Amino acid sequence: MTAVIETRNLSKWYGNVLGLSDVTLQIEPGITGLLGPNGAGKSTFMKLITGQMKPNIGSALIQGEKVWNNYSLFRRIGLCPEQDTFYEEITGWEFLTGLLKFYGFGASEVKERAERALEIVELAKDKDRKIRGYSRGMRQRIRFAQAIAHDPEIIVLDEPLNGLDPLGKRKLIRLIKDYKGEGKTILVSSHVLPEIEAMTSDIILIHQGKILAKGDIYYIRDLIEAHPHIISIRCARPRDLAARFVHEDYLQKMYFGPDGGSLMVETHKRDKFFSRLQSFIVEDGIDVEEITSPDDNLQAVFDYLVGK
Amino acid sequence: MTTIREKGYAHWDGEFIDRRFPWWPITRTSIKLAFQRKHFKFFFSGAFIPAVVFLVGIYISERIEDFRFMFKGSDKLLVINPAYFKTYMTGDFLLFMIVMLLTFSGAGLISDDIKHNSLQLYFSRPIRKMDYFLGKASVIFFFTLVLTLVPGLIFFFMKLVFSGNFDFFLAYPWLPLAVFAYAGLLTVFLAFYTLLISALSKNRRYVSIMMFTIYIFSESIHGILFGIFRNPYLALFSIKANIQQAGAAIFGQKLPYAFPQYLSFLVLGAVCLLSAYVLKRRIRGVEVIR
């Protein structure tokens, strides 16, 4: 299969800070996950392959054409940036149609495309509301809508699930997966493995500006299994919960968070732990505010891959 | 384990049509947003007061006998010649109103984009940096030309209509060109001036204050220093004085300040160059860590 995105010795420095170092790879159609901790170079890579920045060394190519300064190529790319990029005082409709006009579509086509994109992201009802009033999930979806509205062949999504609640995440993951079916090339970045895992099995691991691995997610999964998972449970009675877990032999370590309001657990058997956690919560009536999995396990994999 | 990739990728075979004026959506949206601002329409209408007064003046100048009772000898002021055009174009009130309008409509042109991280949205579209600048500058062009070039040409045309002959045209055939040249100079300078200050801050309010203050302050500095040193060259510090000096030169009138006109052109040009340099440095699609 032909590579849609290709980089050759791609490198970028910000002054003395290394952003990306000697990246040579090919990305094929379908969804590819770009996985790495914060500051790994994911956004730099995405900005370079979308022509937002000029590489110091090497080149980024889309369908064989160099990206930098190749403005007509940008029609084939849909970029969903990480941060909010809106004028808050305009409506979702104005935002979308305004951006679509840059592609030279006629008025009726702009309308038609904007409507279609809003339908896809399920924002048609809210199109006339000002973006100021949009929830985080809606903002993320309208950002996705602007990336797909002109029907690009390549869609680049920079941390699209950041800050979304579980429902919002599920909706957006479904959208992205649906879109893949239309024969697009989608590159999506995240620092959370399960998020990527929910979308694709094809990943690129990036760390400190270097590509550590590219390929199947199951390989990474296996590596992760070799390192304990860290799970944080923020709840009203973390000490009571700890008392229930103290006899469970599959836990490696258990300690309290810095503010004393959360219980931190390290385990190799995540599924077993969650199953027990559920029953303890129900039996003891413990109010749980939040359960998170800090990325330390992913960091451990990175450390392993870089030979630390 | 072999990866099974999703197949079905189809290369798009359609033809892309390049937009002739890719900057136009930026201009149109910015003008629309300007008119949505509070009080903008009021100031915009107010800025046309001098044009209306000067147009009435042209009409009266052709019917001077009917209106002589109103003037009591001051009708000499109503001689329509290049000086009349220069007086309108370089008038304090008109320049003040244009700067006011630009603080409303132009302050946020770039600063809002920086504030909202919108630059990368623009530059991920098929537009060049130059298109972006043209789109933004065209907003300034619109508001400045509508208050200078358009009234200037209307005055010229209406003078011919009211007089019913081509004598005025034959006497001053170069006048429309002078109107074009002055309006062009003012517009280009104000576009660079506005975009320069707009690119310096994320805060539109702060930019508005800066735009207005620099204009007024440069004139005050000139006034204060001239009061102390009595040196006409100190007018080079004033934005307004330089515009008026250049305007007088273009309309072939007596220079208001006793120094060579080219110096004012140089000062205005230097501001434009500085602006171009700052804009080039400030406007990037994405943030750059230093």
Side-chain angles (χ1 to χ4, degrees):
Chain A
M1 198 173 287
T2 332
V4 179
I5 302 167
E6 190 182 349
T7 65
R8 294 176 190 158
N9 308 106
L10 197 62
S11 305
K12 178 75 190 174
W13 289 272
Y14 301 105
N16 292 329
V17 181
L18 178 71
L20 205 66
S21 173
D22 200 25
V23 172
T24 299
L25 56 81
Q26 296 190 332
I27 297 171
E28 286 144 359
I31 303 179
T32 303
L34 187 61
L35 188 65
N38 289 327
K42 300 187 295 293
S43 296
T44 301
F45 180 73
M46 292 188 143
K47 283 163 187 169
L48 287 167
I49 60 162
T50 52
Q52 299 285 299
M53 277 193 312
K54 189 181 177 185
N56 293 108
I57 298 176
S59 55
L61 297 101
I62 299 260
Q63 289 162 347
E65 287 183 52
K66 278 199 178 175
V67 182
W68 177 247
N69 264 346
N70 194 348
Y71 303 99
S72 57
L73 197 62
F74 293 176
R75 293 169 183 280
R76 300 182 195 171
I77 305 170
L79 171 67
C80 180
E82 188 182 352
Q83 320 96 326
D84 271 356
T85 47
F86 314 117
Y87 275 59
E88 304 270 325
E89 63 266 35
I90 63 172
T91 64
W93 176 256
E94 287 169 333
F95 174 69
L96 262 193
T97 51
L99 290 172
L100 273 169
K101 283 172 191 158
F102 287 114
Y103 295 95
F105 300 127
S108 60
E109 198 172 354
V110 163
K111 202 175 156 225
E112 195 184 303
R113 282 174 182 271
E115 272 167 2
R116 200 186 314 148
L118 286 165
E119 284 291 335
I120 291 172
V121 300
E122 296 170 13
L123 277 176
K125 273 194 307 197
D126 301 292
K127 66 174 187 175
D128 294 323
R129 275 175 62 188
K130 295 211 164 155
I131 290 176
R132 189 185 296 125
Y134 278 14
S135 69
R136 205 185 273 255
M138 291 162 87
R139 282 161 182 259
Q140 200 62 269
R141 278 185 281 149
I142 194 87
R143 272 215 296 264
F144 183 70
Q146 65 79 28
I148 61 167
H150 58 288
D151 198 21
E153 295 161 59
I154 298 146
I155 301 162
V156 178
L157 309 167
D158 196 358
E159 304 264 5
L161 304 176
N162 248 5
L164 289 186
D165 58 43
L167 191 67
K169 278 185 187 174
R170 211 163 52 191
K171 261 189 184 175
L172 201 63
I173 288 171
R174 186 171 49 77
L175 273 177
I176 295 167
K177 286 176 85 170
D178 286 352
Y179 220 67
K180 167 195 74 173
E182 297 185 16
K184 311 287 182 188
T185 302
I186 302 175
L187 182 65
V188 53
S189 75
S190 176
H191 58 276
V192 183
L193 181 69
E195 287 180 3
I196 294 283
E197 202 175 14
M199 287 182 262
T200 182
S201 60
D202 199 4
I203 64 161
I204 298 168
L205 265 186
I206 185 168
H207 187 50
Q208 293 182 340
K210 293 187 179 112
I211 302 296
L212 296 186
K214 180 178 182 293
D216 200 285
I217 203 161
Y218 299 110
Y219 170 69
I220 304 300
R221 254 269 159 249
D222 290 344
L223 284 175
I224 286 174
E225 291 302 328
H227 296 86
H229 295 269
I230 300 178
I231 298 153
S232 160
I233 307 122
R234 173 168 288 281
C235 59
R237 289 147 43 208
R239 284 173 193 278
D240 291 351
L241 194 59
R244 295 299 300 263
F245 272 115
V246 81
H247 298 297
E248 304 288 327
D249 57 359
Y250 51 86
L251 298 188
Q252 261 72 48
K253 225 187 247 182
M254 201 160 52
Y255 49 96
F256 297 102
D259 58 350
S262 59
L263 175 66
M264 311 287 284
V265 170
E266 286 188 25
T267 177
H268 282 288
K269 299 189 175 168
R270 200 173 63 151
D271 295 343
K272 196 168 178 187
F273 169 76
F274 277 120
S275 138
R276 296 294 284 151
L277 178 66
Q278 272 182 11
S279 50
F280 288 159
I281 289 170
V282 174
E283 284 165 21
D284 295 2
I286 295 172
D287 285 336
V288 176
E289 287 173 37
E290 185 184 54
I291 301 172
T292 53
S293 268
D295 288 335
D296 303 43
N297 49 2
L298 196 56
Q299 185 63 46
V301 173
F302 287 125
D303 290 347
Y304 169 79
L305 288 168
V306 294
K308 274 191 187 172
Chain B
M1 191 175 182
T2 315
T3 311
I4 299 167
R5 299 187 193 285
E6 293 78 9
K7 293 191 177 177
Y9 177 75
H11 187 78
W12 190 70
D13 287 328
E15 193 187 335
F16 290 120
I17 302 158
D18 273 329
R19 218 190 147 96
R20 209 165 158 201
F21 303 111
W23 45 267
W24 175 238
I26 298 177
T27 308
R28 203 169 67 166
T29 309
S30 303
I31 291 173
K32 200 176 137 194
L33 283 174
F35 277 102
Q36 283 173 4
R37 291 204 195 300
K38 234 178 177 179
H39 308 310
F40 183 79
K41 284 177 194 158
F42 173 76
F43 278 105
F44 186 67
S45 317
F48 284 97
I49 292 171
V52 173
V53 170
F54 275 70
L55 191 61
V56 170
I58 292 171
Y59 175 76
I60 292 175
S61 72
E62 290 299 327
R63 308 275 183 281
I64 200 74
E65 290 310 317
D66 300 342
F67 294 94
R68 196 171 290 283
F69 69 95
M70 285 169 61
F71 291 101
K72 297 175 183 164
S74 60
D75 49 324
K76 286 178 199 120
L77 291 172
L78 276 181
V79 178
I80 310 302
N81 56 18
Y84 188 86
F85 281 69
K86 187 221 86 176
T87 307
Y88 169 75
M89 296 278 205
T90 63
D92 287 0
F93 182 72
L94 181 70
L95 291 177
F96 177 81
M97 286 309 286
I98 291 175
V99 172
M100 278 292 284
L101 273 185
L102 295 186
T103 58
F104 272 94
S105 61
L109 281 176
I110 292 179
S111 72
D112 282 351
D113 285 344
I114 298 173
K115 180 181 164 190
H116 295 117
N117 297 312
S118 305
L119 290 172
Q120 55 182 319
L121 276 193
Y122 285 118
F123 296 132
S124 63
R125 260 79 200 162
I127 61 163
R128 295 164 305 158
K129 228 184 222 185
M130 185 50 79
D131 296 321
Y132 173 80
F133 289 128
L134 265 178
K136 296 293 180 182
S138 297
V139 180
I140 316 289
F141 292 174
F142 171 76
F143 287 114
T144 314
L145 292 178
V146 89
L147 287 165
T148 52
L149 179 68
V150 174
L153 294 178
I154 289 176
F155 293 167
F156 194 84
F157 178 71
M158 293 313 282
K159 172 68 185 166
L160 300 182
V161 170
F162 291 147
S163 62
N165 58 54
F166 284 94
D167 293 353
F168 187 72
F169 176 74
L170 294 173
Y172 308 108
W174 51 269
L175 193 53
L177 291 179
V179 170
F180 267 106
Y182 173 76
L185 173 87
L186 184 67
T187 303
V188 169
F189 170 74
L190 288 176
F192 273 114
Y193 172 73
T194 307
L195 295 184
L196 165 68
I197 299 171
S198 184
L200 292 178
S201 169
K202 283 182 183 181
N203 186 328
R204 186 201 302 155
R205 196 165 292 176
Y206 181 55
V207 169
S208 302
I209 293 167
M210 252 202 306
M211 274 179 68
F212 200 68
T213 309
I214 291 173
Y215 179 77
I216 299 291
F217 190 67
S218 72
E219 179 60 13
S220 309
I221 286 277
H222 159 226
I224 293 165
L225 292 179
F226 185 76
I228 299 168
F229 299 106
R230 295 279 153 198
N231 186 337
Y233 281 83
L234 292 166
L236 289 169
F237 283 109
S238 162
I239 293 173
K240 191 181 84 181
N242 282 303
I243 292 172
Q244 288 176 331
Q245 183 85 334
I250 289 170
F251 284 99
Q253 301 301 302
K254 184 175 177 277
L255 299 178
Y257 302 98
F259 60 80
Q261 63 217 35
Y262 72 85
L263 289 177
S264 284
F265 285 103
L266 278 179
V267 169
L268 297 176
V271 173
C272 293
L273 281 179
L274 172 74
S275 168
Y277 175 75
V278 172
L279 288 171
K280 194 168 182 287
R281 303 279 306 167
R282 291 278 296 170
I283 306 306
R284 297 169 195 266
V286 292
E287 76 281 9
V288 174
I289 303 161
R290 288 195 177 278

